Amino acid sequence: MPSENRTTSSTVASPVSVWMRLLNVGPGSGKTSKVAMVVGMAVMVLCVVVGTVLTLAFLDSPDDPYVLLTMGLDLFGMFICVALFAGALMDQANLLANGKWFLALMVCTCTVLLFDLGAWVFDESATFRDLNIAANTLLFLGGISVSFLCWHFAVESLEMKLTDVLVPTMALDLLALVEVILILANVATGAFFTVDANGTYEHGPLYFLIVLYALIIFVAIVVLAVKANASLKRKVSLIAYFAVPSFLAIATYSAETLSIVYSSLTISLLVIFCGIFADRGRESHQAEADMQFAATIQDSALSKRFPQDPRFSLFASMHPARDVGGDFYDFFMVDDDTLAVVMADVSGKGTPAALFMMQAKSLLRSYVEGGRNLGDAITAVNNRLCDGNEMSMFVTAWVGLINVCTGEVTYVNAGHTPPAVCPAGGSFEVRKTPASLVLGGMEDIPYRECTLQLQAGDTLYLYTDGVPEAADKQGKRYENDSMLAALNSSADRANPQAVCEAVHADVMAYMSGADQFDDVTMLCVHLS
């Protein structure tokens, strides 16, 4: 299938993005690795177990009801994170790039909730003073990480380009790095918090920087949403997701007996989850319906009734890939002695490719049947396909006129793969043929008419690049040598159906369970 390489990315270089890539979770890393999934779920389950044990132990010594409420919300939030993570993994078909950032955000939030819960358990205990310091240090570091992940999630959700977010992201990177250094130095400076000899926690003079960083992230997300070209619904929803935690961070700024910012964030995660996967579900359903429609168009365009003529035998087949493309074949009698054969491959996939295929197929048949010179007919088809081709689609095609009495073949190759020919009693070989530009690429291109001679007993094999470019799980291609080996392995090379089935079976065996990314289409003609 002809394709157009496009590279778009909104991922920016940062410590967090590097960490995400190492885990194979972030944008640009392809599918989320199984190892990352298992590790993420294991970390979250461990958080829930440890959090439950700490909570049960704390209940033996009742304390301030606000502290009990905070701990209960922390534990409940962890359960929500685990449930959402499991739900996301069970619906990976809808998990796109921003969903992967979302998974990382859930894992980070779950661990931060555990650190918050632990900080309350160890507070006001001289015995656990060191654990209190450690829990609060990790809590502050986790808060920076959560804010940073929220920014990256917003960038991906709004589908921003790298050039649009590079400067603010670099600034946020630098600010995060400064805060991390200050937090790590807190044991010596007491800038963010202190824990006295009795194990009692108190805010430090720079505590406001943690809240300030979160608010800067929130403001940056609002500005990003305003500038983005995304829908108003997506912009408003994204701002609303992070507005509640940001508001609570301000409202509880001076409170040392109530910490509900991160537990409230889990509610936002729940809303995000429902929004993302509901939208993805609708999009997936629509995409599936479009593919079904494209597959119907493609299948209906291909004739399954092959000519019954003593002078030749013909067979063709098309095995579509997972994403429907635009491969097609055609055959018809131009006059009593001339058989027209077409093998073509449209760029792109889905409904646009299927519709372009129908247009190309109809034009080819109409102009070739018109009786004009084949080169002139293909030139006319090209001009028609170029007219109004706003999507810049194109089609490669090999079109031949076979005189079934004399074996003379007049053909035009418009950027297509060359055919393979098997002389009577011989072996298949790829017949290199001069190729012109693809159809639909440029107007007023003259297409050259060429000839080749077949004899009685010869076989002509046409195919699309889905055959030689089929790949195994390691990405190694099938190539022409394997195709020729399969062609020549056919027990009856004078039987077009046997020839095509032998090649298809060999291609499928070679792929051995790997995804089929292109249609496998072929047509074979044998002269009696």
Side-chain angles (χ1 to χ4, degrees):
M1 173 66 64
S3 61
E4 301 163 0
N5 294 326
R6 298 177 180 176
T7 303
T8 57
S9 174
S10 59
T11 307
V12 291
S14 68
V16 175
S17 62
V18 171
W19 173 69
M20 296 282 282
R21 287 180 184 276
L22 288 175
L23 288 180
N24 194 27
V25 177
S29 60
K31 295 181 179 179
T32 307
S33 71
K34 292 183 179 179
V35 174
M37 295 177 189
V38 172
V39 170
M41 180 58 77
V43 168
M44 297 175 76
V45 171
L46 181 62
C47 287
V48 170
V49 172
V50 174
T52 302
V53 171
L54 290 176
T55 302
L56 292 176
F58 185 82
L59 291 177
D60 292 337
S61 53
D63 207 322
D64 191 321
Y66 289 108
V67 175
L68 290 175
L69 173 62
T70 298
M71 292 175 58
L73 290 174
D74 285 342
L75 187 60
F76 179 68
M78 283 187 273
F79 276 103
I80 289 180
C81 288
V82 171
L84 292 181
F85 194 92
L89 295 183
M90 286 189 291
D91 193 13
Q92 291 182 62
N94 292 325
L95 192 61
L96 302 184
N98 55 351
K100 296 173 185 179
W101 285 104
F102 180 64
L103 291 182
L105 186 56
M106 281 192 287
V107 174
C108 193
T109 301
C110 189
T111 56
V112 169
L113 288 169
L114 176 62
F115 300 147
D116 186 58
L117 188 151
W120 288 112
V121 170
F122 302 134
D123 193 34
E124 298 183 352
S125 171
T127 304
F128 298 117
R129 179 176 180 273
D130 290 341
L131 289 175
N132 193 0
I133 294 173
N136 277 286
T137 299
L138 292 172
L139 173 62
F140 279 51
L141 291 172
I144 298 297
S145 299
V146 166
S147 298
F148 204 77
L149 288 171
C150 287
W151 166 256
H152 277 275
F153 171 75
V155 169
E156 289 292 338
S157 296
L158 295 172
E159 300 178 353
M160 299 297 292
K161 296 180 180 179
L162 173 62
T163 53
D164 294 334
V165 297
L166 182 59
V167 173
T169 302
M170 290 178 64
L172 293 173
D173 277 349
L174 181 60
L175 185 57
L177 180 60
V178 171
E179 294 227 12
V180 166
I181 293 173
L182 291 175
I183 293 170
L184 293 175
N186 182 78
V187 176
T189 64
F192 288 96
F193 69 89
T194 59
V195 179
D196 63 22
N198 296 321
T200 301
Y201 167 92
E202 287 187 1
H203 290 338
L206 297 184
Y207 172 77
F208 74 93
L209 289 180
I210 298 297
V211 177
L212 181 61
Y213 182 74
L215 293 179
I216 290 174
I217 291 289
F218 176 66
V219 172
I221 290 174
V222 172
V223 173
L224 191 71
V226 172
K227 292 178 58 178
N229 292 323
S231 65
L232 180 62
K233 175 184 176 182
R234 180 177 294 188
K235 292 180 180 182
V236 173
S237 298
L238 189 67
I239 294 173
Y241 292 154
F242 303 117
V244 173
S246 299
F247 173 78
L248 289 175
I250 298 174
T252 61
Y253 168 70
S254 60
E256 295 188 8
T257 58
L258 187 63
S259 175
I260 58 176
V261 173
Y262 297 112
S263 56
S264 70
L265 180 59
T266 60
I267 304 301
S268 293
L269 293 178
L270 178 60
V271 176
I272 292 172
F273 176 87
C274 295
I276 287 176
F277 290 92
D279 287 344
R280 294 292 183 266
R282 285 192 293 270
E283 291 171 3
S284 177
H285 179 75
Q286 184 60 49
E288 184 177 349
D290 288 345
M291 281 299 174
Q292 290 286 350
F293 179 64
T296 301
I297 293 175
Q298 188 178 37
D299 185 67
S300 64
L302 304 178
S303 175
K304 308 297 190 304
R305 300 179 62 182
F306 305 110
Q308 301 296 318
D309 193 307
R311 296 171 295 179
F312 68 94
S313 53
L314 182 149
F315 183 82
S317 66
M318 194 280 293
H319 299 274
R322 179 182 56 190
D323 296 330
V324 178
D327 281 16
F328 69 92
Y329 61 78
D330 198 7
F331 50 86
F332 50 91
M333 298 299 296
V334 176
D335 54 43
D336 291 341
D337 298 327
T338 306
L339 169 68
V341 291
V342 178
M343 179 60 59
D345 187 354
V346 176
S347 63
K349 295 182 181 296
T351 303
L355 294 175
F356 196 76
M357 176 206 74
M358 288 292 290
Q359 182 186 12
K361 181 175 180 293
S362 175
L363 289 172
L364 283 168
R365 177 174 283 228
S366 175
Y367 280 97
V368 171
E369 282 184 329
R372 66 173 71 184
N373 173 278
L374 183 60
D376 293 341
I378 302 304
T379 298
V381 170
N382 174 65
N383 287 336
R384 288 288 302 275
L385 290 175
C386 288
D387 185 25
N389 186 11
E390 296 180 358
M391 296 184 67
S392 299
M393 301 190 75
F394 60 88
V395 55
T396 69
W398 197 96
V399 184
L401 298 176
I402 306 174
N403 187 309
V404 295
C405 296
T406 66
E408 182 181 17
V409 182
T410 302
Y411 69 89
V412 170
N413 185 348
H416 198 74
T417 52
V421 177
C422 178
S427 299
F428 276 98
E429 291 183 357
V430 172
R431 186 69 60 88
K432 297 295 183 181
T433 57
S436 302
L437 189 68
V438 297
L439 301 178
M442 185 181 299
E443 287 185 284
D444 299 324
I445 297 295
Y447 285 84
R448 184 170 56 168
E449 196 177 85
C450 304
T451 61
L452 64 86
Q453 184 64 49
L454 298 179
Q455 305 295 332
D458 290 357
T459 303
L460 174 69
Y461 174 79
L462 305 174
Y463 57 96
T464 58
D465 58 9
V467 177
E469 293 183 4
D472 60 16
K473 291 183 178 179
Q474 286 70 46
K476 185 178 179 181
R477 290 185 174 184
Y478 185 68
E479 302 293 358
N480 280 347
D481 289 344
S482 298
M483 180 186 73
L484 290 173
L487 285 168
N488 292 319
S489 70
S490 175
D492 186 1
R493 297 174 204 170
N495 184 336
Q497 182 172 352
V499 169
C500 291
E501 290 177 350
V503 176
H504 179 253
D506 196 59
V507 169
M508 293 300 105
Y510 180 83
M511 292 173 63
S512 187
D515 289 337
Q516 180 185 336
F517 291 105
D518 205 352
D519 300 341
V520 175
T521 309
M522 57 192 82
L523 182 150
C524 190
V525 181
H526 174 74
L527 294 184
S528 302

